[in-house]
């Protein structure tokens, strides 16, 4: 019985030494990945077993040959245990990270959904209240002079167009998020799409005394769906016009890199706070008051924060990406798309 107690004590002491070394290693590596921590824990466990067996085998005065056999056997088992532990530890760590990212993504989506409902409710409530007031005034005969009646009709049309655009944006965003967007890809001359988009937004820019400047040459041909690309460019131009002060400038240019084509829309909005740059393309994000649309934009001031989210969704559906960065007097949105023929 005494011999067994001595064997137990010696094995326990060897295991404790390995355990303390492993605890120190975990403390030093506390900032490393989950995989590293799992591997250290596994190494500590296997090492404690190997140390205990080695100490007891040495204390039992085994012959050199028998001691070598014991150590080889234990080492083989330790190698297999560490290899299997490393493989499944990586899988476990990846699953844990994925689950954490999934939960974080779900929280962001839920927050975005709540923000979207709040913004859309606000953007619908305001024009609906105005429409109701004007309709009641016309119905009750409160206004009768032709000029006022004509102005009420014009404002009703403007607000109706605004709500129509908001509903269209919601429908487009739901198609993107549901994976129901189907693109008919072909070779699209980017210059033609930009020309049409500039022509469509020119009256709004002129009303706000904003100069629209488009490059005269260098327009590449991209692989994409023309209606969706027109929506992307139109949304970027409307966003730039919406936030650019009067007498400002919105510039559009494009080019081609070895592996892709790019299009850039730059404005003179004064820039976006650095903390907001990663969130510009989030649904319902509008940022600081400086990024709140100004009145007098021809009825396009309220978009529910959907325009840039739609841009990102459509660009990514084409296999491209969109980024934003601050420049000297504003910000610059850059869209990268697959070039035709690549």
């Amino acid at each position: 019985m005494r011999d067994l107690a001595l064997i137990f004590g010696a094995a326990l002491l060897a295991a404790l030494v390995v355990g303390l070394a492993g605890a120190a290693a975990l403390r030093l590596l506390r900032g490393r990945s989950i995989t590293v921590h799992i591997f250290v824990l596994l190494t500590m466990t296997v090492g404690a077993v190997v140390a205990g067996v080695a100490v007891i085998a040495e204390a039992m005065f085994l012959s050199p040959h028998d001691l070598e056999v014991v150590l080889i056997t234990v080492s083989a088992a330790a190698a297999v245990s560490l290899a299997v532990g490393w493989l499944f530890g990586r899988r476990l760590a990846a699953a844990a990270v994925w689950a954490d990212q999934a939960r974080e993504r779900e929280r962001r989506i839920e927050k975005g959904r709540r923000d979207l409902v709040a913004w859309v409710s606000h953007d619908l409530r305001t024009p609906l209240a105005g429409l109701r007031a004007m309709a009641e005034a016309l119905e009750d005969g409160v206004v009768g002079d032709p000029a006022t009646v004509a102005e009420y009709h014009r404002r009703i049309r403007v607000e109706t167009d605004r709500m129509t655009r908001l509903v269209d944006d919601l429908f487009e965003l739901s198609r993107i998020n549901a994976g129901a967007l189907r693109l008919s890809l072909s070779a699209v001359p980017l210059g033609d799409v930009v020309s049409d988009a500039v022509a469509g937004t020119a009256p709004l820019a002129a009303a706000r005394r904003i100069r629209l400047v488009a490059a005269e040459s260098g327009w590449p041909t991209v692989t994409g769906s023309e209606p969706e690309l027109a929506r992307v460019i139109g949304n970027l131009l409307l966003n730039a016009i919406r936030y650019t002060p009067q007498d400002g400038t919105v510039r559009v240019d494009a080019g081609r890199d070895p592996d892709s084509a790019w299009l850039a829309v730059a404005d003179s909005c004064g820039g976006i706070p650095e903390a907001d740059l990663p969130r510009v393309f989030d649904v319902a994000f509008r940022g600081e008051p400086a990024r709140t649309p100004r009145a007098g934009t021809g009825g396009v001031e309220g978009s529910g924060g959907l325009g840039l989210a739609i841009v990102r969704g459509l660009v990514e559906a084409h296999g491209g990406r969109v980024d934003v960065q601050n420049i000297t007097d504003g910000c610059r949105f850059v869209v990268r798309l697959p070039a035709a023929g690549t």
Side-chain angles (χ1 to χ4, degrees):
M1 197 63 188
R2 182 172 177 276
D3 292 340
L4 293 177
L6 290 174
I7 291 173
F8 176 78
L12 179 63
L13 181 61
L16 283 175
V17 172
V18 175
L20 291 174
L26 286 173
R27 184 175 180 82
L28 292 174
L29 299 172
R30 59 181 177 271
R32 303 296 295 274
S33 66
I34 298 176
T35 304
V36 173
H37 283 76
I38 291 176
F39 185 74
V40 171
L41 285 171
L42 184 62
T43 303
M44 183 171 59
T45 303
V46 174
V49 174
V50 172
V53 171
V55 167
I56 298 305
E58 181 68 26
M60 291 176 65
F61 302 103
L62 297 179
S63 66
H65 177 268
D66 291 343
L67 179 61
E68 184 179 354
V69 170
V70 170
L71 293 179
I72 291 175
T73 303
V74 172
S75 299
V80 172
S81 299
L82 290 175
V84 173
W86 173 258
L87 176 62
F88 286 95
R90 291 187 62 183
R91 292 185 180 181
L92 179 62
V97 171
W98 181 88
D100 186 63
Q101 291 175 344
R103 286 192 295 269
E104 179 62 28
R105 183 167 57 251
E106 185 177 351
R107 284 193 292 268
R108 288 199 307 268
I109 292 173
E110 181 59 30
K111 183 179 183 302
R113 186 181 297 112
R114 291 195 300 267
D115 292 344
L116 175 60
V117 171
W119 282 116
V120 171
S121 299
H122 175 271
D123 282 350
L124 286 176
R125 187 184 302 115
T126 301
L128 283 173
L131 286 172
R132 180 173 182 176
M134 288 183 286
E136 290 177 349
L138 292 171
E139 183 179 16
D140 296 339
V142 175
V143 294
D145 61 288
T148 305
V149 171
E151 175 62 16
Y152 274 31
H153 285 158
R154 187 193 69 81
R155 289 171 60 186
I156 289 174
R157 179 189 56 79
V158 168
E159 295 297 344
T160 303
D161 289 344
R162 175 186 173 188
M163 287 190 293
T164 300
R165 277 190 294 271
L166 183 57
V167 172
D168 288 344
D169 284 349
L170 285 170
F171 177 70
E172 189 74 22
L173 193 63
S174 67
R175 287 176 55 200
I176 294 171
N177 291 338
L181 185 64
R182 298 293 180 265
L183 301 178
S184 179
L185 301 179
S186 62
V188 179
L190 207 53
D192 295 344
V193 181
V194 171
S195 178
D196 292 341
V198 169
T201 54
L204 176 60
R208 300 207 57 219
R209 291 160 46 191
I210 293 173
R211 291 192 307 133
L212 279 178
V213 180
E216 296 181 359
S217 60
W219 299 101
T221 299
V222 300
T223 300
S225 175
E226 186 168 346
E228 280 72 23
L229 291 180
R231 185 73 178 270
V232 167
I233 298 170
N235 281 11
L236 288 176
L237 288 175
L238 285 176
N239 180 77
I241 294 170
R242 189 177 295 130
Y243 294 114
T244 297
Q246 289 188 354
D247 300 318
T249 301
V250 173
R251 301 181 182 275
V252 189
D253 58 347
R256 179 164 179 169
D257 292 333
D259 57 346
S260 64
W262 58 269
L263 176 137
V265 176
D267 58 41
S268 49
C269 67
I272 301 173
E274 292 294 330
D276 287 347
L277 283 176
R279 303 174 56 202
V280 166
F281 298 100
D282 290 351
V283 174
F285 177 75
R286 288 179 173 176
E288 299 298 326
R291 296 292 295 172
T292 300
R294 303 171 179 84
T297 54
V300 299
E301 66 273 12
S303 67
L306 305 180
L308 292 179
I310 290 173
V311 166
R312 180 174 63 179
L314 293 177
V315 170
E316 290 179 351
H318 282 81
R321 70 179 190 275
V322 58
D323 302 298
V324 60
Q325 60 184 5
N326 285 324
I327 54 178
T328 303
D329 58 348
C331 55
R332 185 171 185 259
F333 291 82
V334 180
V335 175
R336 297 189 180 276
L337 295 165
T342 60

